[in-house]
Amino acid sequence: MVKTGNQERYDYDVIARWVQPDARVLDLGCGDGSLLQHLANTRNVRGYGIERDPERVVACLQNRVNVLQIDLEQGLAGFEDQQFDYVVMSLSLQAIHNTEGVLAEMLRVGHEAVVSFPNFGYWRHRVSLNEGHMPVSDILPHQWYNTPNVRFFTMADFEQLCGNRGIAVLERAAFDEDRLIDVDPNNYASVALYRLGRASA
Amino acid sequence: MTASGSVGNVTPQRAQFGEALQLRSGGVLPAYELVYETYGTLNASGSNAVLVCHALSGSHHVAGTYADQPKSSGWWDNLVGPGKPLDTNKFFVVGINNLGGCFGTTGPNCINPATGKRWGSDFPFVTVEDWVDSHARLADRLGIDTWAAVLGGSLGGMQALAWTLRYPDRVRNGMVIAAAPTLSTENIAFNEVARQAILTDPDFHGGDYYEHGVVPVRGLRLARMLGHITYLSDDAMAEKFGRKLRHGKHKYHFEVEYEIESYLRYQGDKFAGFFDANTYLLTTKALDYFDPAFEYDGNLQAALARAKANFFLASFSTDWRFSPTRSREIVYALLHNQRTVSYVEIDSSAGHDSFLLDNPTYHAAMRAYFQNIEV
């Protein structure tokens, strides 16, 4: 997933607000480690990133970010229950096959989970489909035939899944570009962020 | 790429230690000598020292060449030097030959002062921890209070890990490459076959072959041939040798038929020509015994709780002797203890030997990690 500078900033700022100071954070698909750097600088978190791509792993090392080169499709089996305060996945959930499994694992390994993803229900995407084509936008920059994304879902879909799987939405933020969207985000937001926990039994 | 070069001509140095060394096996070395090399310059505060620990057949000769031997490059010369990933412009790098070795450090082929004869079968069993203790004394003497990093591959990686446990305050970064928290059952099995090859060689004479003026060449050769198979991957061997025939046709004899046979024989002969059989036996035993979790009922997390260093681990995809799974065991145990740790899993076709090669991602990762070590 290509991230533009703008997206990174508002995505990161929200996550930084949600994360408690000095927390232990695991970032799944951490790229070059810039989110963890941001959280270390702003919230003094103790972070680890998981990344599969060799060049990004080296970039993390250059950026002094703790990085573990592990393939997420293998799951988080080596991690202990509640080992982290937060498990974060920024703009990667849509690129992973085992969506349910990953969400469950995030909330096993982390006390809370933070995820962000492109909202396929965004009105421009709907216009595109109405015109007969798969959406291509800043947040969905790839063509249908070369996209790394494998799961296509809206905010409404995601919240339904959470409800069905005992996952509590603790906080939500939705954006169109860098503008916060309060009204009808499933229609007007291109990116959604969620802070998630286990629904109390 | 940064311009990089060799450390140039190097000269081994020696250090004598008169104080007895108590060994884990219960044995005692009344005195010992270490042979070592250094590259780069120790800074005034002694904060830029990196110890490089060698593997089974390695030595103190990590980098550079000997003046009279142009082909004598150190075994990790591609990593260590000015401008190289372990940059000798920044770091003071130390390589030390382990006790029980055969490259100048006190070992079974040295004279036992008590008898005036070579140690041979009288040389005590040595462990990875004993090596660490003996090297700590050299660090004292060199004025190195704390290593900026202790680095090693394979057995050397185990030794780097042992440093972080035995002297937690003396290691700032533990760099554990192509290693494992213990040998696997299969690893021990391979070692045992190699040892039996040596022990049953008629020229072994119970380890006192020096007295008989012979060397158990056949056993040592077989041990090395077996070892070599396990250091490579099936793919690497297939790629390098395939089913290539020496004579282009089947000769129906026991001389070299396939090129892989020629390669193994060459490696075996070469090794038997310079390596000491007793050192091979002792070193494979040290590998077998290495088990930091042994005193913790097999609980690696508990065993690593003492470590204070930051860690860097690397493994290689086709390494079946020290597989990535084994490195991950160390990673997860360190995470449990909330240590700072990074781990890279390098795609490489070269098996266990990959750690000695200059795979670009591997070296870029090492370079990045070393660059961020403050001295």
Side-chain angles (χ1 to χ4, degrees):
Chain A
M1 187 84 218
V2 175
K3 299 177 188 180
T4 70
N6 255 351
Q7 283 162 13
E8 282 189 5
R9 273 202 302 273
Y10 65 76
D11 184 2
Y12 290 7
D13 284 345
V14 172
I15 297 172
R17 272 203 301 281
W18 285 352
V19 167
Q20 295 296 314
D22 307 318
R24 288 171 50 75
V25 176
L26 181 67
D27 184 4
L28 308 182
C30 67
D32 66 1
S34 51
L35 171 61
L36 285 171
Q37 268 189 315
H38 183 73
L39 295 177
N41 293 338
T42 57
R43 305 299 269 172
N44 194 37
V45 307
R46 187 171 172 75
Y48 300 84
I50 292 186
E51 179 56 57
R52 186 179 56 180
D53 177 75
E55 283 179 26
R56 292 176 187 168
V57 167
V58 171
C60 284
L61 291 168
Q62 286 164 343
N63 292 332
R64 297 173 187 261
V65 169
N66 301 324
V67 64
L68 311 172
Q69 190 173 12
I70 293 171
D71 187 349
L72 278 182
E73 298 282 3
Q74 294 169 7
L76 299 175
F79 292 90
E80 297 163 26
D81 293 357
Q82 306 292 294
Q83 198 169 4
F84 291 88
D85 297 309
Y86 304 91
V87 179
V88 177
M89 187 181 263
S90 171
L91 295 178
S92 295
L93 192 61
Q94 76 286 353
I96 283 177
H97 282 101
N98 186 14
T99 318
E100 280 187 89
V102 163
L103 283 172
E105 278 290 88
M106 287 175 80
L107 284 168
R108 176 184 70 80
V109 171
H111 184 61
E112 293 183 3
V114 174
V115 297
S116 64
F117 56 83
N119 175 28
F120 283 74
Y122 180 48
W123 69 273
R124 286 183 196 276
H125 298 158
R126 299 184 192 207
V127 167
S128 193
L129 280 168
N130 253 333
E131 290 169 352
H133 290 285
M134 288 299 283
V136 176
S137 64
D138 281 352
I139 193 71
L140 294 174
H142 296 90
Q143 298 291 338
W144 65 271
Y145 50 81
N146 64 7
T147 178
N149 299 332
V150 295
R151 294 280 180 253
F152 308 92
F153 53 100
T154 65
M155 290 176 70
D157 290 331
F158 182 74
E159 289 175 22
Q160 197 171 47
L161 176 69
C162 290
N164 290 341
R165 293 293 178 271
I167 297 171
V169 172
L170 305 176
E171 233 169 328
R172 183 180 82 176
F175 291 88
D176 180 11
E177 301 297 324
D178 53 357
R179 279 187 307 115
L180 203 57
I181 303 294
D182 289 326
V183 179
D184 195 9
N186 195 41
N187 199 20
Y188 292 110
S190 57
V191 174
L193 286 83
Y194 287 87
R195 185 163 68 85
L196 306 169
R198 278 274 158 222
S200 47
Chain B
M1 278 307 281
T2 318
S4 59
S6 167
V7 297
N9 285 337
V10 296
T11 311
Q13 301 172 69
R14 317 185 72 84
Q16 278 93 25
F17 299 87
E19 195 189 332
L21 185 72
Q22 177 65 51
L23 305 170
R24 278 210 160 187
S25 60
V28 175
L29 273 178
Y32 64 93
E33 194 170 15
L34 295 178
V35 60
Y36 65 100
E37 290 180 9
T38 71
Y39 324 104
T41 309
L42 187 64
N43 64 16
S45 58
S47 67
N48 68 334
V50 174
L51 176 63
V52 178
C53 304
H54 67 73
L56 175 56
S57 59
S59 72
H60 53 283
H61 184 41
V62 177
T65 48
Y66 297 137
D68 48 346
Q69 304 164 44
K71 284 187 177 172
S72 62
S73 285
W75 56 268
W76 221 345
D77 195 66
N78 63 22
L79 186 86
V80 181
K84 289 181 178 172
L86 176 42
D87 190 344
T88 49
N89 290 326
K90 175 180 179 181
F91 293 106
F92 176 66
V93 179
V94 182
I96 314 175
N97 187 208
N98 291 334
L99 285 173
C102 54
F103 295 111
T105 284
T106 301
N109 66 352
C110 299
I111 300 295
N112 177 357
T115 62
K117 293 190 211 165
R118 295 193 195 230
W119 280 95
S121 58
D122 286 339
F123 199 86
F125 279 87
V126 284
T127 64
V128 174
E129 288 78 8
D130 297 330
W131 292 334
V132 170
D133 289 347
S134 68
H135 295 181
R137 290 190 188 168
L138 180 61
D140 294 340
R141 196 170 292 182
L142 293 174
I144 299 160
D145 182 46
T146 307
W147 297 101
V150 178
L151 161 72
S154 191
L155 171 60
M158 291 169 154
Q159 202 168 323
L161 181 62
W163 258 100
T164 68
L165 304 177
R166 206 143 173 89
Y167 298 96
D169 294 314
R170 300 191 71 173
V171 185
R172 286 194 284 129
N173 293 275
M175 301 180 67
V176 180
I177 314 298
T182 57
L183 286 195
S184 68
T185 317
E186 188 184 53
N187 285 159
I188 296 173
F190 280 123
N191 278 350
E192 175 58 6
V193 175
R195 281 191 297 266
Q196 285 299 325
I198 293 169
L199 292 165
T200 58
D201 185 320
D203 285 337
F204 182 62
H205 296 289
D208 295 316
Y209 43 88
Y210 317 103
E211 306 296 307
H212 295 79
V214 291
V215 171
V217 168
R218 284 161 292 184
L220 200 48
R221 184 171 176 267
L222 282 176
R224 184 58 168 178
M225 288 168 82
L226 176 70
H228 243 282
I229 298 169
T230 71
Y231 305 147
L232 300 174
S233 70
D234 191 19
D235 285 351
M237 260 199 276
E239 194 181 316
K240 197 165 176 186
F241 306 104
R243 292 180 54 86
K244 256 181 279 172
L245 290 159
R246 164 60 59 89
H247 304 288
K249 58 176 181 179
H250 296 164
K251 299 269 279 183
Y252 301 99
H253 62 191
F254 291 112
E255 298 309 306
V256 168
E257 192 82 276
Y258 293 95
E259 287 297 346
I260 182 62
E261 297 170 342
S262 167
Y263 173 77
L264 288 176
R265 289 178 191 200
Y266 170 76
Q267 292 295 340
D269 288 338
K270 192 172 81 167
F271 190 71
F274 72 84
F275 207 80
D276 183 73
N278 282 318
T279 295
Y280 201 89
L281 294 175
L282 290 172
T283 309
T284 57
K285 288 301 279 185
L287 272 159
D288 291 3
Y289 291 129
F290 181 73
D291 185 0
F294 188 73
E295 288 155 27
Y296 296 84
D297 293 327
N299 184 339
L300 186 62
Q301 297 173 347
L304 301 193
R306 275 173 295 162
K308 294 180 180 172
N310 299 330
F311 284 87
F312 174 90
L313 287 94
S315 70
F316 300 88
S317 55
T318 53
D319 184 351
W320 55 282
R321 188 94 198 237
F322 290 78
S323 72
T325 315
R326 306 303 315 282
S327 283
R328 272 186 241 129
E329 286 176 33
I330 302 174
V331 169
Y332 290 128
L334 291 169
L335 283 172
H336 173 84
N337 288 301
Q338 311 204 11
R339 299 317 315 154
T340 292
V341 52
S342 282
Y343 168 63
V344 299
E345 208 169 288
I346 305 293
D347 247 327
S348 166
S349 64
H352 187 53
D353 272 350
S354 301
F355 86 89
L356 294 168
L357 306 179
D358 60 353
N359 175 297
T361 307
Y362 168 46
H363 271 203
M366 295 271 264
R367 179 184 294 277
Y369 194 84
F370 275 117
Q371 275 173 345
N372 282 332
I373 294 178
E374 281 162 23
V375 300

